[in-house]
Amino acid sequence: VYGGYGLSDMGGKRILVRYAAPSEVVKVNVLKEKKDYIEASVDEVVLSSPDRRQAPCKYYGFCGGCQIQHINYPSQTEIKVDILRENLERIGKLKDVPDIQVIPSPEEFYYRIKAQFKVSSGKIGFFAWGTNEIVSIDECMLLHKAINETIPSLKELSRRFSALQEIHITYSPTEDEMLIKLVMPTSVEKEKLKKLHEEIVSKRVVGIGVYSVISSGLSRRYYIGREFTYIKVGNIIYRVSLDSFFQVNYSLWERFINSVVNNGVYSNALELHCGVGFFSLPLSKVVGFLIASDANGSAIRDAEYSAKLNKVGNVSFYHENSYDTLKKHAGEILDLLVLDPPRGGLSEGEVKLILQNKPKNVVYISCNPSTLARDLKALHKGGYRIDSVKLIDNFPQTYHVESIVKLSLS
């Protein structure tokens, strides 16, 4: 089920089992018991599933970054399809859901160009499943090999800064260079950081920002070097800054774009949560005019820069939240609406505005099957039919389910 658990039942009580596989018999250790469910972990496999394999990562079972690495990759995507369909039918009350097409990742390992390492007392790694205990690692099999090559120097850096809490990395395969965020409660002398950058940190690192955690997220204190890099996808070059998001699975970039963009020609389009313009710039080739917005000011500045860099003149970017964008363009005739919301999905107000305006076509990119199902239920009730559903596996070895749904007015 969603979350990476195997699901069983005992006397009407649900049992969620870590590291289980479909259709197998296991002995478990109970981790916690609640009124309506039990959470457990596999202690012994009595009758193994044909889908089970020996997980290739030596940290698997200790580190919480992966949840389904013990299942062979083709079966992982089948399980995610089942999870997605079950959510659409149970939560969304949707009948006659089209066959779900699968876009598997060409690389099931070493695909991530972004990392968020947890740091404490010279240890670098990730939290164990369900805890704040750091599992120290020398390599992560999900991360691009270039990021793994920097881990020794990052460990040395963490020994120099005892207050360091996290290290965030963005890697550009195009430029073979990295941007790094150091997250700590106190600042550090800029000259000291410059010296350590020269002496310790990988030459691939072209920019380092120092950040602290505040109630609203991360606040930048300062940076040294360059605060952006460039990433090329197909024939489009994107600028990506320290505070901007970019799709993490480099092996799926072009397929992801093609799955969103590749049908129809549109006069007027609107895109919400556009980020750095990952979909916006390719969409410019099939729309007369596109308005795109995002609440992240850094991402919008990158998108505007990239539009000029790629000589795209029919897209306007706005720094505003998605509700305000929908409200501002209420009443306009739209051929296409592209949605890529965070895990919480659409707000009730956003759904209401969409149904009032009724754009002819909607593309909904989701990273959470339960909120997707909830939102599709409302859109379907409001007059939309589901034309296609695709599962794009951006996160092999993990429970995360990403999908692309295309809708049109009935």
Side-chain angles (χ1 to χ4, degrees):
V1 295
Y2 190 66
Y5 298 94
L7 178 64
S8 187
D9 181 272
M10 184 173 67
K13 200 169 194 176
R14 291 182 304 150
I15 307 177
L16 300 171
V17 185
R18 299 177 184 179
Y19 308 117
S23 305
E24 66 182 11
V25 178
V26 296
K27 292 182 178 179
V28 303
N29 287 322
V30 174
L31 302 174
K32 60 183 176 183
E33 186 165 358
K34 300 290 185 180
K35 185 177 180 180
D36 55 348
Y37 76 93
I38 295 171
E39 186 173 344
S41 183
V42 171
D43 181 51
E44 178 187 345
V45 178
V46 178
L47 184 62
S48 181
S49 166
D51 299 328
R52 180 177 283 277
R53 68 177 178 185
Q54 181 66 40
C57 176
K58 63 183 178 181
Y59 303 107
Y60 188 66
F62 303 99
C63 169
C66 296
Q67 300 81 36
I68 55 174
Q69 200 183 111
H70 62 285
I71 297 173
N72 67 59
Y73 185 56
S75 297
Q76 289 184 30
T77 58
E78 291 173 10
I79 290 167
K80 291 182 181 184
V81 165
D82 290 341
I83 290 170
L84 179 56
R85 183 184 296 109
E86 191 271 340
N87 274 265
L88 295 179
E89 292 175 350
R90 178 176 56 85
I91 299 173
K93 310 296 182 188
L94 297 167
K95 300 176 181 178
D96 302 320
V97 174
D99 288 340
I100 299 173
Q101 303 171 53
V102 177
I103 307 172
S105 177
E107 303 290 342
E108 64 164 310
F109 294 106
Y110 305 111
Y111 59 83
R112 287 188 66 103
I113 61 139
K114 294 179 73 73
Q116 291 189 19
F117 293 109
K118 306 299 181 183
V119 182
S120 178
S121 304
K123 291 200 300 184
I124 288 183
F126 303 102
F127 288 147
W129 192 335
T131 77
N132 289 328
E133 179 185 343
I134 295 174
V135 178
S136 182
I137 64 165
D138 298 315
E139 178 197 41
C140 171
M141 292 185 67
L142 300 192
L143 300 180
H144 195 288
K145 291 182 179 180
I147 297 179
N148 281 309
E149 289 169 8
T150 69
I151 290 177
S153 66
L154 297 179
K155 286 188 173 183
E156 181 59 32
L157 195 64
S158 72
R159 284 190 278 269
R160 303 294 183 97
F161 298 125
S162 59
L164 196 57
Q165 297 167 314
E166 295 183 358
I167 301 175
H168 300 188
I169 296 183
T170 299
Y171 173 66
S172 166
T174 309
E175 303 294 325
D176 189 27
E177 62 185 28
M178 300 178 191
L179 304 173
I180 287 183
K181 291 182 180 180
L182 303 179
V183 181
M184 58 183 80
T186 57
S187 189
V188 60
E189 292 180 14
K190 188 179 288 190
E191 291 306 314
K192 181 181 179 181
L193 184 58
K194 284 181 179 179
K195 187 176 179 182
L196 291 175
H197 181 205
E198 293 170 1
E199 295 177 354
I200 297 173
V201 181
S202 166
K203 301 305 179 188
R204 285 187 171 117
V205 177
V206 296
I208 302 178
V210 177
Y211 291 72
S212 293
V213 178
I214 59 174
S215 59
S216 59
L218 291 181
S219 174
R220 186 197 295 186
R221 291 179 179 268
Y222 67 84
Y223 70 91
I224 61 172
R226 182 153 35 88
E227 62 174 324
F228 59 85
T229 185
Y230 295 98
I231 294 176
K232 188 174 184 180
V233 183
N235 60 357
I236 296 175
I237 299 172
Y238 299 87
R239 190 182 79 173
V240 183
S241 296
L242 267 171
D243 295 323
S244 301
F245 170 79
F246 202 81
Q247 296 292 336
V248 301
N249 188 335
Y250 80 93
S251 71
L252 272 172
W253 283 340
E254 292 193 55
R255 296 183 192 191
F256 201 0
I257 288 170
N258 290 338
S259 296
V260 170
V261 174
N262 70 351
N263 69 328
V265 177
Y266 310 95
S267 297
N268 295 303
L270 191 65
E271 181 186 5
L272 308 181
H273 306 286
C274 68
V276 299
F278 184 75
F279 298 115
S280 321
L281 300 184
L283 277 167
S284 70
K285 299 174 182 177
V286 298
V287 301
F289 190 72
L290 170 66
I291 290 170
S293 74
D294 198 284
N296 182 331
S298 173
I300 289 298
R301 289 189 292 274
D302 283 336
E304 290 175 331
Y305 185 94
S306 298
K308 292 176 183 176
L309 184 65
N310 292 277
K311 296 181 172 57
V312 172
N314 61 336
V315 181
S316 288
F317 293 99
Y318 293 91
H319 178 207
E320 61 188 7
N321 66 52
S322 50
Y323 179 83
D324 288 345
T325 302
L326 284 168
K327 193 171 183 180
K328 184 188 293 183
H329 297 281
E332 294 182 11
I333 297 174
L334 296 173
D335 300 306
L336 176 66
L337 173 65
V338 179
L339 307 168
D340 189 4
R343 294 190 189 283
L346 302 173
S347 69
E348 289 185 18
E350 288 167 345
V351 171
K352 185 177 180 181
L353 286 170
I354 291 168
L355 293 177
Q356 285 174 351
N357 206 40
K358 290 200 179 326
K360 294 177 184 176
N361 299 280
V362 176
V363 178
Y364 191 134
I365 302 148
S366 167
C367 56
N368 185 331
S370 60
T371 55
L372 169 70
R374 178 202 67 199
D375 294 342
L376 291 183
K377 179 181 180 181
L379 293 174
H380 184 262
K381 187 176 179 181
Y384 283 91
R385 68 167 178 266
I386 298 173
D387 297 322
S388 68
V389 181
K390 293 182 180 179
L391 180 136
I392 180 158
D393 194 26
N394 273 323
F395 307 101
Q397 319 311 328
T398 78
Y399 69 84
H400 296 292
V401 177
E402 190 134 1
S403 56
I404 306 162
V405 180
K406 294 187 177 181
L407 307 99
S408 58
L409 282 172
S410 300

